[in-house]
Amino acid sequence: MKKNKWRIFQAIQFILFLGVSIFLFFRKVDGSGAENTIEVKLISLAVWLGFYLFLLALEYGIRFLTRINKK
């Protein structure tokens, strides 16, 4: 059951990641009021991807450590 909850959480997290990525790519103006060019869009997507990968590494690291402690 725990494994199923983990997969549901990962799926929801991925859907949120895709939603925010689409929003970042298709917005015309960023938060500072500057117009987004393709370069700025790619940079913002790269930063968002880096943050997402950091969270995934943290989650899998914690999961790995808890599995080691159970044995």
Side-chain angles (χ1 to χ4, degrees), residues 2-56:
K2 275 190 172 183
K3 201 175 217 182
N4 194 16
K5 289 180 185 178
W6 177 263
R7 288 181 188 226
I8 291 171
F9 175 74
Q10 291 295 317
I12 291 171
Q13 187 178 15
F14 184 70
I15 290 169
L16 286 173
F17 169 75
L18 286 179
V20 172
S21 297
I22 291 170
F23 169 74
L24 286 176
F25 193 75
F26 286 112
R27 66 183 180 167
K28 301 274 187 215
V29 179
D30 66 359
S32 66
E35 191 171 328
N36 277 342
T37 61
I38 192 69
E39 292 86 10
V40 174
K41 289 178 183 182
L42 292 176
I43 290 170
S44 65
L45 285 174
V47 170
W48 177 242
L49 179 65
F51 177 70
Y52 179 70
L53 291 176
F54 172 74
L55 286 179
L56 280 180

